[in-house]
Amino acid sequence: MGLDAAEVSQLFAEVVGAGNVLVGDAVGDDYSHDEALGAAPQVPLAVVRPGSTEEVATLLRLADERRIPVTARGAGTGMSGACIPEPDGIVVSFERMNRIVEIDEQNFVAVVEPGVQLDQLDAALAPLGLVYPVFPGEYSASLGGNVSTNAGGMRAVKYGVTRQHVLGVEAVLPSGEVLTCGGKIVKVSTGYDLTQLIVGSEGTLALVTQATLRLYPRAGHASTLLAPFATVDEVTAAVPRIVGSGVGPLILEYIDMLTMAAATAHVGLDLGIPSSIQESALAYLVVALESTHADRLEQDTEATATLLSSLGALDVYVLPDGAAAQLIDAREKAFWVAKANGADDIIDVVVPRASVPAFMARVAEIANEHSSWIAGCGHAGDGNVHMAVFQPDPSVRSRVLHGLFTAGIDLGGAISGEHGLGRSKKRYFLDLEDPAKIALMRRIKVAFDPHSILNPGTLFD
Ligand SMILES: Cc1cc2nc3c(=O)[nH]c(=O)nc-3n(C[C@H](O)[C@H](O)[C@H](O)COP(=O)(O)OP(=O)(O)OC[C@H]3O[C@@H](n4cnc5c(N)ncnc54)[C@H](O)[C@@H]3O)c2cc1C
């Protein structure tokens, strides 16, 4: 027999203080879901808000002894239902553990607690001329959530994803053991890399209580080019050429015509593109460049504009800073626009960069075969295609998603490049992934979490 809410409240109040355990009506709706479309919300028995690693260790040990399901939560901006709790479980919310422990300007690292938000870290780094370069589209996301989903975002084409920037973690096992993995070191060769195993594990192996992140000097100069193309194929074919040109783009995004129209209208942005071009453009490529030297940036901008024209762009616009920032903002808000327009699901298949045209051709076929509508934009520079799927019938939608994921995997890709599997993509993963790999993952899960209390329902059933 499991504990009821009052018993759970009493148990954890002794660890974190009564004011930091929420039960009943005090558990706000936010704790029952993330931003995944179509994932059923679930209210937990209680929300527990620890203030230190020691409290996390004690509460996990107690939960493990009593087999209480534990779901970690950062800011709840995830796209795969990965922080949706169990009805008889608790949410461990890291909102109180939001300290930037240290910014080490000699070693170029920041040490943060998991509840630190991206915008909070950026505000602390900017005056020092430093940057943590991973910027997934939602800046209220927490670093704990970023680490646990291996978040990506637009700048991954230059800097890589979260995984490349986590030098170490402090993490707590259900046994209450506290692991310190990695640290302020940029290389290590001492057995299995537990830091990287925990990155992207969606709260299923351990709770992250601290992360050591790699920092970079902040580039002082940036430019943004917008190139409309007559076909999606031309856009996606241009991507490897720009990467190969050596300019090292900061952002390389494709936006299809529908998404561009809806996203710019949403933020009231008029880019001044002549209507004759707008009528012929089926897709747009956004290329952002950055440099520490103004003259080098100018040369790279000119070279990229010339290259884009030679690759068939209908025109090339170098956007003024204000319009560029608004366009990036509009692209980041594309999810909200798709949601407001009734999208039934959002997915982010990743394929090898050069296979994007083949994948997009298959996407169009699948949409036709199932009378569905699929609009998209994406991190073209990473082969990470974000698609809004409009198909209200759940069984047809499931076939559409299955087809899209299969197409991605057949091209050497994966179901998700950055949103993760969570609850909403789990069944496709269990169906399509190599059974030997799933079996090994299950054995790893048991080694970390023998009683399966950590985020049950995510990744595995
Ligand atoms: C408009 C919008 C745009 C987005 N764009 C992008 C994008 O471009 N790229 C991208 O990668 N993502 C994007 N996302 C998704 C989202 O922002 C990321 O997945 C982010 O990493 C989630 O962080 P969070 O703090 O909200 O985590 P949550 O949603 O709270 O949790 C995510 C996962 O992390 C686990 N978790 C959280 N904290 C911990 C911890 N301390 N220890 C262990 N596990 C933990 C949770 O259990 C869950 O499994 C976008 C989301 C929105 C709403």
Side-chain angles (χ1 to χ4, degrees):
M1 212 17 211
L3 302 186
D4 64 23
E7 290 163 332
V8 164
S9 172
Q10 192 184 355
L11 181 69
F12 294 113
E14 284 171 23
V15 184
V16 298
N20 292 311
V21 182
L22 310 177
V23 288
D25 290 345
V27 178
D29 167 64
D30 269 1
Y31 293 109
S32 69
H33 65 88
D34 61 4
E35 296 299 343
L37 299 183
Q42 181 60 65
V43 178
L45 260 191
V47 175
V48 182
R49 301 184 294 192
S52 68
T53 302
E54 293 69 33
E55 289 182 4
V56 174
T58 309
L59 77 83
L60 272 185
R61 192 172 41 72
L62 292 175
D64 196 45
E65 281 167 10
R66 289 162 179 77
R67 310 291 191 263
I68 298 170
V70 172
T71 298
R73 181 185 173 88
T77 69
M79 301 282 244
S80 63
C83 69
I84 297 177
E86 291 287 295
D88 58 345
I90 60 168
V91 163
V92 173
S93 172
F94 284 98
E95 61 211 79
R96 289 177 62 223
M97 291 182 67
N98 62 354
R99 262 184 336 125
I100 298 173
V101 179
E102 185 185 0
I103 295 172
D104 180 339
E105 295 178 69
Q106 298 302 311
N107 288 306
F108 282 83
V109 299
V111 181
V112 298
E113 290 187 335
V116 170
Q117 296 185 338
L118 279 168
D119 47 7
Q120 178 190 350
L121 180 61
D122 195 52
L125 294 174
L128 304 174
L130 295 171
V131 69
Y132 174 66
V134 184
F135 276 96
E138 182 53 55
Y139 299 157
S140 67
S142 75
L143 267 312
N146 279 196
V147 169
S148 304
T149 56
N150 186 24
M154 291 197 207
R155 300 183 189 175
V157 64
K158 175 163 182 178
Y159 288 102
V161 295
T162 301
R163 187 177 291 293
Q164 274 91 47
H165 299 91
V166 182
L167 297 174
V169 291
E170 177 188 81
V172 187
L173 299 179
S175 60
E177 290 164 283
V178 179
L179 306 178
T180 303
C181 314
K184 292 182 180 179
I185 42 178
V186 292
K187 59 206 298 201
V188 61
S189 181
T190 53
Y192 303 140
D193 193 335
L194 298 176
T195 306
Q196 292 300 328
L197 191 51
I198 290 168
V199 174
S201 62
E202 300 189 59
T204 61
L205 297 181
L207 298 195
V208 175
T209 46
Q210 211 169 83
T212 303
L213 307 170
R214 191 192 285 262
L215 304 176
Y216 296 78
R218 212 172 176 98
H221 306 277
S223 68
T224 302
L225 300 96
L226 177 66
F229 284 84
T231 66
V232 178
D233 272 3
E234 281 176 305
V235 173
T236 52
V239 167
R241 297 289 304 278
I242 293 164
V243 172
S245 74
V247 293
L250 173 68
I251 290 175
L252 203 40
E253 292 281 309
Y254 99 86
I255 307 177
D256 73 12
M257 175 192 62
L258 292 168
T259 308
M260 184 65 142
T264 49
H266 183 73
V267 296
L269 173 61
D270 180 1
L271 292 164
I273 301 170
S275 53
S276 57
I277 301 263
Q278 286 188 45
E279 280 154 20
S280 323
L282 270 190
Y284 293 78
L285 193 59
V286 181
V287 187
L289 305 172
E290 66 169 11
S291 177
T292 41
H293 301 285
D295 50 353
R296 191 177 304 157
L297 179 73
E298 204 176 310
Q299 285 167 16
D300 285 349
T301 305
E302 271 175 32
T304 304
T306 307
L307 179 59
L308 285 165
S309 296
S310 75
L311 293 169
L314 298 169
D315 206 342
V316 181
Y317 308 98
V318 180
L319 299 178
D321 289 351
Q326 275 183 290
L327 178 61
I328 299 301
D329 186 43
R331 158 64 189 94
E332 282 165 350
K333 292 197 166 70
F335 163 73
W336 303 114
V337 177
K339 185 177 174 183
N341 282 298
D344 297 291
D345 211 335
I346 303 273
I347 61 171
D348 79 308
V349 175
V350 62
V351 296
R353 190 185 282 140
S355 300
V356 172
F359 179 68
M360 295 306 290
R362 190 69 195 111
V363 170
E365 284 168 12
I366 292 168
N368 275 337
E369 284 161 17
H370 295 90
S371 306
S372 303
W373 191 43
I374 303 177
C377 51
H379 310 316
D382 311 325
N384 190 194
V385 185
H386 289 218
M387 285 162 283
V389 177
F390 296 78
Q391 173 48 261
D393 182 325
S395 65
V396 180
R397 186 164 71 243
S398 167
R399 290 202 292 281
V400 170
L401 263 50
H402 197 279
L404 295 171
F405 294 141
T406 305
I409 289 171
D410 286 350
L411 287 165
I415 291 173
S416 171
E418 52 186 29
H419 291 166
L421 300 165
R423 289 171 177 260
S424 59
K425 307 299 172 314
K426 164 182 65 178
R427 62 191 160 121
Y428 306 100
F429 164 72
L430 294 176
D431 189 35
L432 295 170
E433 185 52 277
D434 173 2
K437 274 161 63 181
I438 291 177
L440 178 58
M441 285 190 200
R442 285 188 193 280
R443 296 199 291 276
I444 291 169
K445 165 79 175 162
V446 171
F448 275 75
D449 178 22
H451 303 124
S452 202
I453 64 156
L454 288 183
N455 215 356
T458 280
L459 293 190
F460 305 115
D461 290 318

